[in-house]
Amino acid sequence: MDKVAYLQTWGCQMNVHDTEKIAGVLRGEGYAFTNKPEDAALIILNTCSIREKAEHKFLSRLGYFRRLKKKRPAMQIVVSGCIAQQEGEKFLIDNQYVDFTFGPQNIAKLPELILRDKRKAAVEENPYLAETELPSIRNDGTRAWVNIMYGCNNFCSYCVVPHTRGRERSRPMDSIVNEIRTLSDEGYKEITLLGQNVNSYNDPNNGTCASFAELLTAVNAVKGIERVRFVTSHPKDLSPELIAAIGDLDKVCEHIHLPLQSGSTKILSSMNRKYSYAQYLDKITALRDSVPGITITSDIITGFPGETSEDHKETLSALREIEFDGIFAFKYSKRRYTRAADMEGQLDEEIKSERLKTILELQDVITDKINRKLKGQTVEILVEGESSSDPAHWTGRTRTNKIVNFIPVESVKKGMFITVNITNSFRHSLEGQPDR
Ligand code: SF4
C-alpha cells in the first residue's frame, strides 16, 4: 500500500498540536495525507480522555475503522494520545485489530513503531520530552501553536492529565524563541503559547530560572510576530509580575482564559484547586486594573461530588459578579485514576444537567449584554479566512479573542490585519463591516 495516512484528533489544543507533530514526523518518513480513511494505509486516532463524552465518541469511531480493516487487512490502525497513555497494554489486549498505541510523550518513536512486527504500547516516560524537537505540519499559515511545557503537577482531583501527560517539564526558552523566529520567517503573525499551566513555566536551562513573564517578554521581542496569546493559566500561579507583563507588552493580547471551575470555596478545596473564590476574585480585579479592556473567559464544572444547591448558587453568583466574556461549562465527568471518582456525594445526571442548563442560560445573558456594548465600535481583527459555519462569511478575531464575521471584500486576504465596524452582536460572535 502507498504511504498515505489519515489522522483524526479529539480534545484540546495540546492534542491538536500533537497531531501537527505526528504529521510532521510522518512527512519525514515519506507519508502523504488524505481526508478519506478508506484511501489510507495508516490511520492514527489521537484521543482525549478528559471527559466520558470524548471517550465515547472515539470508541464509536474506532468501531468504523475495525470494520474497514476487515476489508483492508494491511491497513495499520494506531491509537495515540491520552486514552492510549491511560490504558497502556490493556488497550491492545482489548482491541486486537489495533496495531500499536503510543502516548503523548512518545511521538518521536512513531517511525520505529510503524516498522515493528510486534504490537506495542509505547507509553513509557520520556525524560527528554522538553528537549525533543519535532517537526510540525501547520496548515494555517497565520496562527501557530507552540508548546512551552508538557505535563502538569497540580493533580486537581477531577483531572486525568497528570496521569496521562506526566509531570510538568518546561521547554528551554532559547528553543521556544527559535521556533517562533522560524514561524515569523514563514509569515506567521500570531502565536499561542501552549501548556497545561503556562503560568508556572520555569526555564530549566536558565540559571536565573526564567519565569513565564520573562518568556512572554522574549517572545514579544520577536520581529514579525504581531500577537501573542497563551493557554491555559492556573489562577494560583498568576503572579503580579505576570499581570504587569500582560499589561505592558504590546503584542500580548488583552485576553486571558482563567478557569474558575466553581464559585464555592468548599468545592474548590475538594477539587484541590489551591485558591479560594475570594483569591480568584482578587486576581480578576488586578487583571482588570492593570490591563484595560481585557476580556476574561473561564471553565466551570457543575455537579462535582458533594456540590449542594448552595454551592451551585455560589457559582451562579460568581458568574453574575465577575461577568466573564464567555465560559466553557461541563457536567462533572467521573474519570478513572482520579481522586474525585471515589469521592462520596456523586450526583445524579439529572441534577448535573439541570445545573448546567441554569449556568449556561445565565452566562448567555451576560455574554449577550457584554457583546451588545461592542455594537458601533471599530476594532482591529486578524483575518482567518472563510467562516467554517457559513461560507458566505469570512471571519477574524479581535485582540480580545472575539470572533467577528463579515462579508468578504476583494481587497481583504487571509492573514491581514483590518479594522471593522461592529454592526451586530450574537452570543458567540460579532458581525462587522470592513473599514476599507
Ligand atoms: S491544572 Fe488541574 S485541571 Fe489543569 S491539567 Fe493540571 S491537574 Fe488538570
Side-chain angles (χ1 to χ4, degrees), residues 110-124:
L110 189 47
E112 69 177 87
L113 290 165
I114 290 172
L115 296 175
R116 268 176 74 97
D117 294 336
K118 264 182 91 186
R119 298 166 76 229
K120 176 178 164 68
V123 292
E124 46 279 358

Side-chain angles (χ1 to χ4, degrees), residues 50 151-162 196-197 232 234 261 273:
I50 200 99
C152 183
N153 288 346
N154 287 319
F155 289 92
C156 299
S157 61
Y158 53 83
C159 181
V160 76
V161 166
Q196 303 295 346
N197 179 12
T232 293
H234 195 301
Q261 307 300 14
R273 290 291 289 173

Side-chain angles (χ1 to χ4, degrees), residues 168-181:
E168 184 181 292
R169 277 148 297 173
S170 296
R171 260 181 89 186
M173 187 152 90
D174 289 354
S175 154
I176 297 167
V177 174
N178 283 339
E179 182 177 352
I180 294 171
R181 282 200 192 108

Side-chain angles (χ1 to χ4, degrees), residues 171-268:
R171 260 181 89 186
M173 187 152 90
D174 289 354
S175 154
I176 297 167
V177 174
N178 283 339
E179 182 177 352
I180 294 171
R181 282 200 192 108
T182 307
L183 290 166
S184 167
D185 291 344
E186 290 169 4
Y188 281 85
K189 299 277 187 290
E190 181 178 300
I191 296 297
T192 302
L193 305 174
L194 274 185
Q196 303 295 346
N197 179 12
V198 290
N199 308 162
S200 67
Y201 174 82
N202 198 333
D203 179 3
N205 288 349
N206 187 310
T208 53
C209 290
S211 64
F212 183 55
E214 287 167 272
L215 175 67
L216 277 183
T217 307
V219 174
N220 194 71
V222 176
K223 283 205 182 87
I225 297 299
E226 307 275 352
R227 289 182 175 183
V228 181
R229 304 186 185 277
F230 52 88
V231 279
T232 293
S233 299
H234 195 301
K236 80 174 164 52
D237 297 311
L238 188 67
S239 65
E241 180 205 15
L242 177 54
I243 293 173
I246 299 169
D248 291 344
L249 297 170
D250 60 333
K251 295 176 187 172
V252 175
C253 292
E254 295 80 14
H255 167 243
I256 190 166
H257 185 73
L258 195 65
L260 167 64
Q261 307 300 14
S262 171
S264 154
T265 294
K266 180 195 97 189
I267 294 296
L268 288 172

Side-chain angles (χ1 to χ4, degrees), residues 95-142:
N95 300 281
Q96 288 293 325
Y97 54 97
V98 172
D99 291 90
F100 63 90
T101 65
F102 63 99
Q105 301 188 40
N106 287 289
I107 296 172
K109 291 192 180 144
L110 189 47
E112 69 177 87
L113 290 165
I114 290 172
L115 296 175
R116 268 176 74 97
D117 294 336
K118 264 182 91 186
R119 298 166 76 229
K120 176 178 164 68
V123 292
E124 46 279 358
E125 184 95 358
N126 175 2
Y128 308 108
L129 183 64
E131 291 80 35
T132 306
E133 303 282 335
L134 291 176
S136 296
I137 294 186
R138 295 174 165 103
N139 292 321
D140 188 86
T142 302

